[in-house]
Amino acid sequence: MKLWTMPGRRAGFLTGALAALLALGGCMGSDVPYGVPQTNGQSGFNQPFADNAPRQPATGEVIGSGDTRVALLLPLTGEGNASRIAAELKNAALLAMDDSGMQTLELVVKDTGGTTEGATAAATQALTEGASAVLGPLFSANVRAATPALQATQTPMIAFSSDRAAASPGVYLNSFLPQGVVNRTLTYAAGQGVRSVVAILPEGAAGDLAEAEARRTMQQTGGELTAVARYAYDNMSVYEAVQSVADAVRSADAVFIPDGGSSPATIVTTMTETGIDVSNKKILGTGQWTSANLADPALQGAWFADTDQARVNTYKQRYQARFGAEPSLTSALAYDTVVLVANIAKGGGGVQRHALETPVGFNGYTGLFRFNGDGTTERGYAVYEVREGRPQVIDAAPTRFGGSF
């Protein structure tokens, strides 16, 4: 049996994905039309200041000189990795402003310190200064802390948390919600004839979310989640989890392992080494698998859903050329968000909720996405098969909403 190591984590469960068209600096096109409605300057909600009203000077780092002021809330002085991630998001925003044109927005970067108190203060200050919208914060607790002030003025927020519970009307999450990638993997598998699935999941909140979505998706597609096992991060726990569902695995079409790092290979190897034949079973995963060793023989032929890596890699190459370091996937969310808001601002009338909720969605470096009225995000993911140690696209990410993936 393989020695257990704690799996790597990408932010937002992938971690942990503008045209409605975002021009993306001329580097990317899309056949989704830019679907933001034309306006006559009326917002459809109450903004704290009219765009043509005198504004007080902004507090924070100012990027751009546009008529529409937007605040970007980041944990620039936060503890741990928070400040590093914040620096990446700010760099991504700067790259987006370069591409969109410095005259499209006045982007004001504000430091939350990574705390709820800091998030509340930064959001309140942004409103006082006449921000048409707030981008960020990053952490779910900070999103919740900033929400009351923004909802009181119906000022939209586009935050980067992957906690679905942090979303609400007018508080949108441009992130990778775990439910979406689970749904994409299992829906595709069902379309290929998979009807019965056994899930082997980590203990904790991530496992809870994966189980709930797996049950819902399998029921929706006419299949069944026939058994579930949970494990902690040690060899004995994995062994016991595998043995507890051994009979169910033998009669199932597929085994679903949504965790990353060493988890997928360890679990599949444990099954084979304890006499469970999985040679005729489809192994299924999620975008967490980008942190796994896909060269492991145990994972060959497996399927998993993830963002369109070709687009993401284009973004990463541009970021590295500009800033000299490889960025995280999370930073691409900030790029897409700033370009989206800049394109909306070009139409006049500020950043409006009905424009953000356009049903045709947007296309960016993180792929196709759209905001729902409840603040959650739908995304278009590609499906990959592990072949010769590398992920190969077997079902491309969609280019528009409305049809099957």
Side-chain angles (χ1 to χ4, degrees):
M1 184 185 302
K2 298 190 175 185
L3 290 178
W4 186 264
T5 58
M6 182 66 77
R9 302 283 181 179
R10 285 195 299 158
F13 192 82
L14 285 181
T15 13
L18 295 163
L21 177 69
L22 302 186
L24 297 181
C27 296
M28 182 183 301
S30 170
D31 48 15
V32 175
Y34 185 64
V36 175
Q38 296 298 312
T39 68
N40 59 5
Q42 299 300 312
S43 67
F45 62 89
N46 296 322
Q47 293 183 197
F49 296 89
D51 281 345
N52 59 358
R55 296 184 301 188
Q56 67 182 74
T59 303
E61 180 179 351
V62 176
I63 304 171
S65 58
D67 292 335
T68 299
R69 178 176 286 175
V70 172
L72 175 60
L73 276 53
L74 298 174
L76 297 171
T77 58
E79 297 181 350
N81 287 331
S83 60
R84 177 186 60 79
I85 297 172
E88 286 188 353
L89 268 63
K90 187 177 81 168
N91 285 345
L94 179 58
L95 182 62
M97 289 293 291
D98 286 343
D99 290 347
S100 300
M102 289 292 175
Q103 75 285 356
T104 58
L105 291 176
E106 184 187 68
L107 186 66
V108 183
V109 184
K110 295 182 179 293
D111 183 17
T112 66
T115 67
T116 55
E117 295 82 4
T120 300
T124 302
Q125 186 179 72
L127 294 176
T128 301
E129 294 172 356
S132 180
V134 169
L135 314 183
L138 178 61
F139 306 123
S140 60
N142 293 357
V143 176
R144 292 187 181 93
T147 293
L150 298 172
Q151 287 184 329
T153 58
Q154 298 189 54
T155 301
M157 175 197 293
I158 306 176
F160 306 120
S161 169
S162 59
D163 180 359
R164 188 186 186 101
S168 59
V171 178
Y172 308 98
L173 301 183
N174 192 6
S175 58
F176 303 102
L177 300 180
Q179 293 88 344
V181 73
V182 171
N183 176 273
R184 176 69 163 117
T185 297
L186 295 179
T187 298
Y188 175 80
Q192 306 307 306
V194 170
R195 292 292 177 265
S196 57
V197 175
V198 172
I200 303 179
L201 312 171
E203 295 177 351
D208 294 343
L209 288 172
E211 179 178 352
E213 184 60 29
R215 289 191 184 280
R216 191 193 70 79
T217 302
M218 292 307 298
Q219 183 178 23
Q220 184 182 57
T221 58
E224 183 181 3
L225 187 65
T226 58
V228 175
R230 297 296 190 98
Y231 59 87
Y233 294 112
D234 63 80
N235 287 336
M236 182 54 67
S237 176
V238 171
Y239 174 81
E240 291 173 349
V242 166
Q243 291 305 301
S244 72
V245 293
D247 290 341
V249 169
R250 291 186 179 99
S251 59
D253 297 323
V255 179
F256 179 47
I257 308 169
D259 207 356
S262 61
S263 301
T266 299
I267 291 168
V268 176
T269 301
T270 300
M271 286 191 286
T272 59
E273 290 182 351
T274 55
I276 304 172
D277 183 7
V278 293
S279 60
N280 62 342
K281 313 294 179 187
K282 182 56 66 175
I283 306 301
L284 306 174
T286 67
Q288 285 279 61
W289 279 32
T290 58
S291 64
N293 177 18
L294 298 182
D296 194 299
L299 302 183
Q300 303 315 296
W303 296 337
F304 67 93
D306 196 11
T307 52
D308 184 331
Q309 290 301 306
R311 287 190 175 195
V312 170
N313 289 338
T314 299
Y315 163 75
K316 288 183 176 181
Q317 290 166 7
R318 293 195 61 218
Y319 182 104
Q320 187 155 15
R322 176 77 159 78
F323 301 107
E326 183 175 347
S328 65
L329 179 60
T330 302
S331 68
L333 297 169
Y335 177 97
D336 284 356
T337 301
V338 171
V339 176
L340 181 155
V341 170
N343 275 274
I344 291 175
K346 289 176 183 178
V351 181
Q352 305 176 36
R353 283 172 57 174
H354 70 83
L356 292 171
E357 294 176 20
T358 177
V360 298
F362 310 95
N363 235 320
Y365 280 127
T366 58
L368 181 70
F369 67 97
R370 65 182 172 188
F371 299 124
N372 298 318
D374 63 359
T376 58
T377 309
E378 294 180 59
R379 287 191 169 275
Y381 295 103
V383 177
Y384 295 84
E385 181 173 272
V386 181
R387 297 175 181 170
E388 298 180 352
R390 298 176 61 84
Q392 302 291 326
V393 175
I394 56 173
D395 196 42
T399 59
R400 62 179 65 248
F401 287 106
S404 63
F405 286 179

